[in-house]
Amino acid sequence: MSVLSFPVQVGWATFRRTWRVTRRAYPWSYFIGTLMLGVFTVGLAHLGLQAIGGGQVAAGFTAATGSADYLGYITVGAAAFMFTTHGVLWVGKALIEEQRAGTLGALLLAPARRLPYLLGFAGFAFTAIALEVAVLLGCALALGARPAAMGASQAALAVLTLGVAVFGMSVVLGGVMITAGEAHITQNTVFFAIALLSGFTFPRQDLPVVLQWLGELVPTTAAMDVIRGVFTTGAGVPPGRAAVAVLLGLAYTAAGLAYLPRAERHSMERNH
Amino acid sequence: MIRTVGLRKEFRTRRATTTAVAGLTLEIPRGRVTGLLGLNGAGKTTTIKILATLLRPTAGTVLVDDLDPLRDAGAVRRRINLIAGGERMVYARMTGRENLWYFGRLYDVPGAVLRPRVAELLELVGLSAAADTRVERYSRGMTQRLSIARGLINDPAYLLLDEPTLGLDAPIARDLRRVVARLAAEGTGVLLTSHYLAEVEELCQHVYVIAGGHHLTAGSPAELTARAGCHRSVRVTVTGAGPEVAAAVESLAADLGAAAVLDRAADGSLVASLSHPGEIAGPLAMAVVGAGGTLAGLEVAEPTLEDAILALNDRAGMVSA
């Protein structure tokens, strides 16, 4: 009798498998490559603040964001965006990567359910991203960013909220990708949309009202309000927004898991 | 037992609907190797993928030990596995041992059972020495052997084999046939499709022949060849044969409605060949001896399963160009 229950065993085995394969496929280049986006974002923000704003932000920015620390604002947004995009890339692309590698059939043959399998990918993704975000924050702090200092429990709750939101979106995207038989256009469309709608690098109040409402359909929007509350304004976790982010994330997860069997069959039929 | 009744599968696109399987009724009992034969496009792989739960039938029923794969997919998947010769189905950046371990976890094989089973399977497919080498460094045959081991990782009650020896070296293919025969003897139900009909003849106790997704016939390989009415070829070598021997052979052929081919060997012997569905070796030998010839040799070539399948497909008008 296995000590671990079957779902935990599947999730853990998938985590270990992904860790091994990624380490072999991208010894250091993946880590450095993914870090560059965040570093450049913070670096450009720093240069822009110095060259254009003379190191100062407008009163309107402070009013909209609750913080006068532009670099800190951008750093938190860049780190959250990195967390989101890489979470989507790992979890959302898991099944289409199986399809490309010729292993999707072998995976679908097995009795393991998809939720623990995808949670195994998420566990790996969020562990790898934590390292990248830590380095990014180190660079940003060296450049003068000063994110709000909150307690560890508040920080963990905020990151967990974003994690639930990202996971839900990734499960849905995974189904869309194997149905469409492609990942590139789908992922970039989603990245563009959430960068615009979810308030990663600018206050959402600057968007037209219609887009602000549209953004409310995306779990990362409410999750970013939680992240901002903890790491930018220092006001703490806004309970209402945290609940919205988690409920939307869970709803996306449920919808994605309900859709995945049909998407998988569609994929098998298309490749038949 | 795996049982299908009226199994049907259509692939629909915006422009057309293709029927891959059209009302198949099959039985795959435990402890027997069942063959599924047909030319390319007959619907064999589609049928196997439906039984493996990878495709959903458009109509008809499938039951695996009385379980419905649509409602009880998890329980069915624990009972079956699929080995497909043309597909890799293993992870390139993992070693053979890591692959088997991972798939064992996906099948909920307990750790204490999995450890020795991985070693046994690696030994079985001749990969013990390469167990800790990444699959991306394997040859095609080695990868195929690992796929076979993967297909056995859950000790399935039913094993679906779709061209399992495709691309394998002869000794490994022979070893796999031995394994399949042993598994069936131990109670595993096996469904086999293969283009190597000698393999099917060797392993299968019962064969379904399909064409264009339709059921053509079923039976043991011997029954199928008999039913197809394939011709036996009988060849006699006659020494000291005069024109009367040749005339006797031609007369017999005319009486039987058989085709006769007469030729002279380098040493002057007469070589006569007759093809006929019936038993004609005796009458031919008697005709030769009766005409004064001396039999130096007699060979009978029995019709093969391949002859039978081709004949059945010809009859069904389904032979592809």
Side-chain angles (χ1 to χ4, degrees):
Chain A
M1 192 69 185
S2 180
V3 176
L4 299 170
S5 70
F6 186 31
V8 174
Q9 174 184 297
V10 170
W12 177 240
T14 304
F15 176 92
R16 286 181 62 191
R17 184 202 112 192
T18 313
W19 186 273
R20 265 192 194 124
V21 167
T22 307
R23 207 185 58 207
R24 287 170 187 169
Y26 316 102
W28 281 103
S29 56
Y30 174 78
F31 180 71
I32 292 170
T34 53
L35 192 62
M36 294 312 286
L37 173 67
V39 170
F40 277 127
T41 306
V42 175
L44 283 172
H46 175 71
L47 290 174
L49 181 66
Q50 298 304 322
I52 300 168
Q56 301 293 318
V57 293
F61 176 84
T62 308
T65 62
S67 169
D69 178 13
Y70 178 67
L71 206 55
Y73 183 88
I74 292 295
T75 299
V76 169
F81 192 63
M82 184 189 284
F83 183 97
T84 302
T85 54
H86 293 161
V88 169
L89 283 175
W90 278 108
V91 182
K93 287 177 77 174
L95 289 171
I96 199 164
E97 289 298 334
E98 298 273 6
Q99 189 181 68
R100 288 170 176 167
T103 49
L104 183 62
L107 177 73
L108 301 187
L109 275 172
R113 289 183 176 274
R114 224 54 77 227
L115 180 61
Y117 165 84
L118 291 173
L119 282 172
F121 266 95
F124 164 78
F126 295 150
T127 305
I129 296 164
L131 292 172
E132 292 161 15
V133 168
V135 177
L136 171 69
L137 289 176
C139 295
L141 290 172
L143 287 171
R146 292 291 176 267
M150 293 298 297
S153 60
Q154 291 272 306
L157 196 58
V159 172
L160 186 65
T161 303
L162 183 60
V164 172
V166 170
F167 183 76
M169 288 171 58
S170 303
V171 177
V172 173
L173 274 175
V176 173
M177 283 177 181
I178 58 169
T179 302
E182 75 82 40
H184 200 69
I185 296 171
T186 309
Q187 82 193 28
N188 287 338
T189 305
V190 168
F191 292 163
F192 176 79
I194 59 173
L196 179 71
L197 299 173
S198 292
F200 285 100
T201 50
F202 62 88
R204 281 193 299 119
Q205 294 89 323
D206 293 350
L207 286 172
V209 175
V210 174
L211 291 183
Q212 288 183 38
W213 279 109
L214 197 59
E216 291 300 326
L217 299 176
V218 184
T220 46
T221 303
M224 275 308 293
D225 288 347
V226 177
I227 293 285
R228 290 291 181 204
V230 172
F231 295 108
T232 301
T233 67
V237 171
R241 297 303 283 163
V244 169
V246 170
L247 287 175
L248 266 180
L250 293 177
Y252 269 60
T253 303
L257 290 174
Y259 173 59
L260 269 179
R262 181 184 292 190
E264 290 166 357
R265 279 198 305 277
H266 183 85
S267 163
M268 295 307 295
E269 293 202 359
R270 191 185 50 242
N271 293 303
H272 186 67
Chain B
M1 178 183 289
I2 298 179
R3 197 189 303 267
T4 76
V5 179
L7 192 66
R8 184 176 184 84
K9 180 64 187 174
E10 293 171 354
F11 292 103
R12 295 193 179 104
T13 62
R14 284 178 193 157
R15 292 181 181 172
T17 298
T18 310
T19 302
V21 179
L24 284 186
T25 296
L26 308 171
E27 286 188 348
I28 300 134
R30 301 278 301 262
R32 184 178 88 179
V33 183
T34 304
L36 185 61
L37 294 185
L39 301 184
N40 288 336
K44 306 183 297 287
T45 299
T46 302
T47 303
I48 281 202
K49 286 191 173 175
I50 291 171
L51 300 182
T53 73
L54 293 178
L55 293 175
R56 182 174 280 204
T58 309
T61 57
V62 181
L63 290 175
V64 179
D65 289 341
D66 295 326
L67 294 168
D68 180 348
L70 300 181
R71 281 202 303 269
D72 310 298
V76 169
R77 286 173 183 154
R78 286 173 190 270
R79 285 173 159 78
I80 58 172
N81 212 325
L82 165 68
I83 296 170
E87 296 177 30
R88 195 174 72 195
M89 299 180 107
V90 287
Y91 296 97
R93 286 209 167 93
M94 288 163 75
T95 68
R97 192 189 308 280
E98 289 166 352
N99 264 285
L100 295 184
W101 181 267
Y102 180 62
F103 281 110
R105 299 319 258 172
L106 295 186
Y107 278 93
D108 198 18
V109 180
V113 176
L114 185 56
R115 205 164 291 114
R117 187 175 294 168
V118 166
E120 280 167 25
L121 289 174
L122 288 166
E123 178 72 29
L124 179 77
V125 296
L127 288 176
S128 294
D132 298 311
T133 302
R134 288 187 215 170
V135 172
E136 61 194 351
R137 293 177 191 154
Y138 281 12
S139 67
R140 186 180 165 190
M142 290 166 79
T143 307
Q144 173 62 3
R145 281 145 61 191
L146 183 64
S147 291
I148 291 165
R150 182 205 56 74
L152 299 172
I153 194 70
N154 60 325
D155 191 16
Y158 298 97
L159 188 56
L160 309 170
L161 301 172
D162 189 9
E163 304 286 351
T165 55
L166 196 70
L168 289 185
D169 293 334
I172 300 295
R174 181 199 59 204
D175 289 348
L176 176 64
R177 287 196 292 274
R178 285 179 184 160
V179 170
V180 170
R182 195 192 75 205
L183 288 171
E186 290 170 358
T188 305
V190 180
L191 180 66
L192 170 69
T193 77
S194 176
H195 276 99
Y196 304 117
L197 294 180
E199 188 168 277
V200 175
E201 259 181 313
E202 178 186 334
L203 288 173
C204 296
Q205 289 88 53
H206 191 82
V207 175
Y208 290 95
V209 183
I210 61 174
H214 294 270
H215 175 262
L216 283 186
T217 187
S220 69
E223 287 167 347
L224 290 180
T225 47
R227 203 173 302 160
C230 293
H231 291 195
R232 285 187 182 84
S233 293
V234 180
R235 196 170 87 143
V236 292
T237 306
V238 186
T239 54
E244 57 280 7
V245 173
V249 171
E250 283 173 342
S251 168
L252 177 68
D255 290 346
L256 294 171
V261 178
L262 299 171
D263 204 358
R264 288 281 173 187
D267 63 358
S269 304
L270 177 71
V271 179
S273 299
L274 261 68
S275 288
H276 190 271
E279 175 52 66
I280 55 167
L284 179 59
M286 286 175 66
V288 166
V289 173
T294 304
L295 274 179
L298 187 148
E299 296 166 33
V300 180
E302 292 293 332
T304 62
L305 187 58
E306 185 171 0
D307 298 327
I309 299 302
L310 288 172
L312 288 165
N313 274 282
D314 279 341
R315 226 173 281 166
M318 301 302 247
V319 175
S320 55

